Amino acid sequence: MMRPDTRALYVISVAAELAGVHPQTLRIYERKGLIEPARTSGRSRRYSDRDIALLQRIQELTNEGVSLVGVQKILDLEVELARARQHVESLQAALEQARHDKAEAVDAAHRQYRRELVPLRSAAVVRFTREQS
């Protein structure tokens, strides 16, 4: 099922207005590889809410003086960072599960020992020494 924010709904003029840029700017961003809108069977561009958010991020960066090449690098790094964070979260979850499994295994081993051990009433230590010849 398609995520709601990736459904391409907006024509270029509406997308440009929502992003606060000129439609020609969207075409430039597409040529530079910053955005890739969906296309209809008639090859018209369609933009999703996710595309609009990306366009707004691009505008934010360019308004701060970042070049389009810099914007592309920043966007790539943001995607990489998001993936790394996801990976760290999954590793943390796996580590927590491994800790839980280990604790359960130790508890099970201790329970098993309790069943197998026979208590002694008294204990004596016997020491043997070798005779030397």
Side-chain angles (χ1 to χ4, degrees):
M1 189 169 121
M2 183 181 287
R3 290 178 32 194
D5 67 338
T6 60
R7 200 164 141 227
L9 301 171
Y10 309 109
V11 295
I12 193 167
S13 59
V14 174
E17 187 175 330
L18 290 171
V21 297
H22 191 276
Q24 189 61 35
T25 304
L26 299 187
R27 292 183 189 97
I28 293 168
Y29 290 170
E30 184 180 0
R31 272 197 307 275
K32 298 282 186 181
L34 294 171
I35 192 154
E36 191 175 331
R39 297 280 185 156
T40 65
S41 56
R43 304 288 299 145
S44 295
R45 293 171 180 86
R46 292 290 186 269
Y47 295 87
S48 66
D49 287 329
R50 190 176 187 178
D51 292 333
I52 302 302
L54 177 59
L55 289 167
Q56 290 169 338
R57 178 69 176 134
I58 293 168
Q59 276 306 106
E60 178 184 322
L61 291 169
T62 56
N63 288 342
E64 291 175 5
V66 179
S67 70
L68 292 181
V69 171
V71 167
Q72 183 62 60
K73 289 181 190 238
I74 290 170
L75 294 175
D76 291 345
L77 288 171
E78 287 175 344
V79 168
E80 189 177 330
L81 178 60
R83 286 184 186 140
R85 284 182 173 153
Q86 255 183 340
H87 186 64
V88 167
E89 286 176 14
S90 69
L91 290 174
Q92 286 173 330
L95 177 60
E96 191 57 38
Q97 183 63 47
R99 285 179 177 152
H100 180 265
D101 293 348
K102 179 196 69 127
E104 281 188 356
V106 167
D107 289 345
H110 288 169
R111 284 190 300 275
Q112 184 67 29
Y113 294 155
R114 287 185 196 119
R115 281 190 295 245
E116 292 176 355
L117 294 177
V118 177
L120 291 176
R121 292 185 194 262
S122 66
V125 177
V126 180
R127 196 177 268 181
F128 290 98
T129 58
R130 270 206 224 164
E131 290 184 24
Q132 295 185 358
S133 18

